[in-house]
Amino acid sequence: MPEKSHLVEREVWVENRLGIHARPATQILNLARQFEAEIVLEKDGCVANARELLSVLALDCPQGTRLVVRAKGADARDAAHAMVQLFARKFGET
């Protein structure tokens, strides 16, 4: 029986002062790699694979940027929730 695929979308805001630079981008990809779900970040129509550091950095997200987290797969709900929590914690920054 094929596994049921889920698609979950959540809106997040970059709240840390320095935006998404190498350290937060690394946290994003490390988190994404913990899940089977395909996770992408979308900014103004540009889409980045959350598992690819350069792809995430290329989105160019300063403080105040709005992103859409889109997760697809069996554990999509947990993956999207974890990603929202990471953004809410401001990546451990101020």
Side-chain angles (χ1 to χ4, degrees):
M1 175 182 238
E3 190 169 302
K4 192 173 183 178
S5 182
H6 301 281
L7 176 63
V8 178
E9 286 187 6
R10 298 288 185 265
E11 181 180 85
V12 294
W13 295 86
V14 178
E15 297 182 32
N16 58 313
R17 187 172 51 86
L18 298 177
I20 297 181
H21 53 88
R23 187 175 166 278
T26 300
Q27 291 181 48
I28 290 169
L29 75 93
N30 285 338
L31 181 65
R33 288 176 178 172
Q34 294 176 22
F35 295 94
E36 292 182 20
E38 174 186 333
I39 305 170
V40 297
L41 304 176
E42 181 181 333
K43 173 193 166 193
D44 300 331
C46 296
V47 178
N49 183 334
R51 290 186 173 93
E52 297 177 4
L53 182 64
L54 294 180
S55 181
V56 172
L57 288 172
L59 288 177
D60 187 26
C61 300
Q63 184 180 34
T65 300
R66 174 192 169 272
L67 294 169
V68 175
V69 174
R70 190 170 294 124
K72 183 177 181 183
D75 57 356
R77 184 179 310 269
D78 292 339
H81 177 74
M83 198 62 71
V84 168
Q85 294 302 310
L86 179 62
F87 276 80
R89 289 191 308 267
K90 302 178 185 178
F91 308 97
E93 300 179 351
T94 57

